[in-house]
Amino acid sequence: MRISQMASTAVAMFAAGVCAACSTSGGGAAGHSASAEPYSFRALYQELVETNTTLSSGDCTEAAEKVAGRLKDAGYSNSDVTVFSEPQHPKAGGLVAVLRGSDPNAKAIALLAHLDVVEAKREDWQRDPFKLAEEDGYYYGRGANDDKAQAAIWADSLIRYRQEGFVPKRSVKLVLTCGEESGPFNGAKYLAEHERQLVDAEFALNEGAGGILDQQGNRIALGVQAGEKVYQDFTFETTSPGGHSSVPADDNAIYRLGAGLERLRAFGFPIQLNDTTKAFFAKMADLKGGETAAEIHALLDNPQDQAAGEKTAKADPVWNSMLRTTCVATQLSAGHAPNALPQRATANVNCRIFPGVPVRQVQDELVRVVADPQVKIAPAGDVSPTPAPPPLDDRILGPARQVAGKLWPGVPLLPTMATGATDGKYWNAAGIPTYGLSGIFLDPDLDGMHGLDERLRVRSLDEGRAFLYEVVKLYANAT
């Protein structure tokens, strides 16, 4: 039997074993009463996707309230379900729900996901982005993947645990927040800083790593994320006296800024490794073989060998990003009139900082590279925390490997570090180790995440649901 066939059989067996209570419904909350149709994961997922939660016109609080209603229908008490929001941002609310554990001395685990989604214009999409469509083995809709798939799976798991009478050793906390994609209010940050007791946990599971498919839909590897690069914007700004454009001057803000950005373009931050990326590249060497494997092993044998690191970095743009801090110009603004010399020029430089490297250290390096005191460089907005990666030990890898081995025999578990950013940075900085784990396999183009016609394989959603349901049980009962 091929691996893909074995995996399909395993998923079916898991589904038969864990879905006995999926069609039952408890009593209770407005909007999802006991007289309503029996509980359906598909209906929960559709409801979340079809609830607009964009920053411009959406409402995360509404989505949180809908999930709260379903949890109460399943038997959760009002005291175990908290919908929160801040008065200044009433539509950026979220939810915390608790499945109580049997051991009061065992710290909880948290299941984190964000409800907000990236903007989507109806005129740009082939389909209405806020109507869930199922076509040719895919679900389509904004948030179908990022991150309403995992939000729906987390809520679904808590509903099914309650329905089947599962009492874990550790409490399990469901945390759904707003503001991960954009916006002035970030729910995960707010909870970590102001409602810590509500979400405090031994560790948290979050988005950030899924499965990798090839072009034919075959499973290549399943990722588990420990650590992520940190998002930080910097503003580059320079000024000049200006004047009439018919009399050019040597002191030109646009040229000065451009020269500094060109020096940045030619610069590469030093190669770095941590325990997670060492494990990632060791596994990639096994998968790739040949000259690529030799170059990787040369780096792993001597992480201080920058030349070896550059060879590995050049093999893949994603690898390059995993191996160093990166900073790139993303926006420009200059001049005040087409017939006047510029008086001011500014650029936004977006940095993705290697975990554990202070923002100030990166700023100092940018100043050194630009080498022009008239180009002022400062962080834009709040200074991001840059926590070190959480430890990726057998406490995390063991249960994931066990369940993955049953569902997808022969598919390797791949430790990874996210090159993007999630809300995990706030929780890691607050002392709650946060790991990316979804069991959701994506196409090579990441299923249009953040782009047009975002999609997710129906098979991938079903498998992720089976995987997370089972693995959370193991984590919750671990000593």
Side-chain angles (χ1 to χ4, degrees):
M1 184 181 293
R2 293 171 55 195
I3 288 176
S4 59
Q5 293 174 314
M6 294 171 67
S8 297
T9 302
V11 171
M13 293 173 63
F14 264 63
V18 302
C19 289
C22 290
S23 62
T24 61
S25 177
H32 296 285
S33 67
S35 61
E37 293 182 2
Y39 170 70
S40 158
F41 171 69
R42 174 64 158 72
L44 166 62
Y45 177 58
Q46 179 173 347
E47 184 173 55
L48 278 179
V49 172
E50 295 187 354
T51 302
N52 184 340
T53 52
T54 60
L55 177 63
S56 63
S57 59
D59 192 334
C60 287
T61 306
E62 178 186 357
E65 289 171 343
K66 289 176 179 178
V67 174
R70 290 184 178 275
L71 290 167
K72 292 176 184 178
D73 279 353
Y76 286 86
S77 66
N78 288 334
S79 62
D80 287 336
V81 180
T82 302
V83 174
F84 68 92
S85 64
E86 194 179 51
Q88 295 89 337
H89 307 286
K91 294 185 177 183
L95 172 144
V96 180
V98 184
L99 175 66
R100 302 287 175 182
S102 61
D103 185 350
N105 296 317
K107 290 191 73 172
I109 63 171
L111 312 178
L112 177 64
H114 65 88
L115 294 169
D116 60 312
V117 296
V118 170
E119 301 290 338
K121 294 182 178 180
R122 175 64 186 92
E123 60 269 26
D124 295 338
W125 283 52
Q126 294 183 34
R127 307 161 189 82
D128 186 336
F130 300 108
K131 292 292 182 182
L132 184 68
E134 183 178 347
E135 298 177 16
D136 301 323
Y138 285 89
Y139 290 120
Y140 290 86
R142 176 56 88 216
N145 174 17
D146 185 16
D147 185 29
K148 290 180 176 177
Q150 193 147 356
I153 288 172
W154 288 149
D156 170 72
S157 294
L158 256 70
I159 289 170
R160 291 154 68 189
Y161 297 154
R162 174 68 73 180
Q163 289 175 335
E164 71 181 32
F166 172 59
V167 179
K169 179 179 180 180
R170 299 175 182 272
S171 294
V172 179
K173 297 181 178 182
L174 167 65
V175 185
L176 303 180
T177 63
C178 197
E180 194 272 350
E181 299 291 5
S182 62
F185 178 75
N186 183 286
K189 182 174 184 287
Y190 170 82
L191 290 169
E193 293 179 351
H194 301 286
E195 298 289 348
R196 176 60 180 266
Q197 79 290 344
L198 199 59
V199 297
D200 196 28
E202 183 77 13
F203 63 90
L205 302 179
N206 184 30
E207 63 169 342
I212 305 168
L213 299 173
D214 65 16
Q215 294 288 353
Q216 290 72 44
N218 300 310
R219 302 170 189 85
I220 302 300
L222 174 65
V224 54
Q225 177 229 328
E228 60 187 63
K229 296 181 76 177
V230 174
Y231 181 113
Q232 181 66 56
D233 287 316
F234 289 90
T235 299
F236 286 34
E237 183 178 63
T238 188
T239 59
S240 55
H244 201 286
S245 62
S246 66
V247 187
D250 289 339
D251 188 2
N252 184 301
I254 292 176
Y255 294 155
R256 184 178 294 278
L257 179 62
L261 293 176
E262 177 60 22
R263 286 190 284 273
L264 175 62
R265 186 199 65 80
F267 172 74
F269 282 83
I271 298 292
Q272 293 182 265
L273 288 169
N274 56 33
D275 289 345
T276 300
T277 55
K278 287 177 182 177
F280 170 85
F281 282 107
K283 181 64 71 173
M284 291 308 299
D286 293 340
L287 294 173
K288 294 287 186 179
E291 184 178 349
T292 299
E295 292 172 349
I296 291 173
H297 284 301
L299 172 61
L300 295 177
D301 291 342
N302 183 9
Q304 304 306 314
D305 186 344
Q306 292 293 305
E310 291 295 345
K311 290 181 180 179
T312 300
K314 288 178 181 178
D316 187 309
V318 175
W319 292 6
N320 177 68
S321 185
M322 290 183 69
L323 284 167
R324 57 172 26 121
T325 293
T326 59
C327 292
V328 60
T330 56
Q331 290 180 307
L332 291 169
S333 176
H336 59 284
N339 59 350
L341 299 177
Q343 298 168 358
R344 185 180 307 274
T346 63
N348 185 81
V349 171
N350 177 244
C351 294
R352 304 300 176 119
I353 301 173
F354 198 86
V357 177
V359 170
R360 181 68 200 203
Q361 181 177 324
V362 174
Q363 181 180 353
D364 290 344
E365 187 71 350
L366 292 173
V367 170
R368 186 192 68 79
V369 170
V370 170
D372 186 342
Q374 293 191 51
V375 178
K376 306 301 181 185
I377 300 173
D382 294 337
V383 174
S384 298
T386 56
L392 190 56
D393 51 28
D394 201 57
R395 176 189 61 165
I396 301 299
L397 292 175
R401 188 181 293 113
Q402 178 180 334
V403 180
K406 294 178 182 178
L407 283 170
W408 308 294
V411 176
L413 191 66
L414 185 64
T416 186
M417 180 185 76
T419 59
T422 76
D423 283 334
K425 67 180 180 183
Y426 298 115
W427 282 27
N428 279 316
I432 302 175
T434 302
Y435 301 89
L437 186 67
S438 74
I440 297 173
F441 283 78
L442 304 182
D443 290 341
D445 68 350
L446 302 181
D447 292 346
M449 189 187 306
H450 286 203
L452 295 177
D453 302 304
E454 180 180 348
R455 69 188 189 279
L456 181 63
R457 287 176 183 257
V458 174
R459 182 191 77 181
S460 291
L461 182 65
D462 290 343
E463 291 179 358
R465 182 184 181 218
F467 173 77
L468 290 176
Y469 173 88
E470 198 68 22
V471 80
V472 168
K473 277 189 165 184
L474 295 182
Y475 288 131
N477 276 333
T479 56

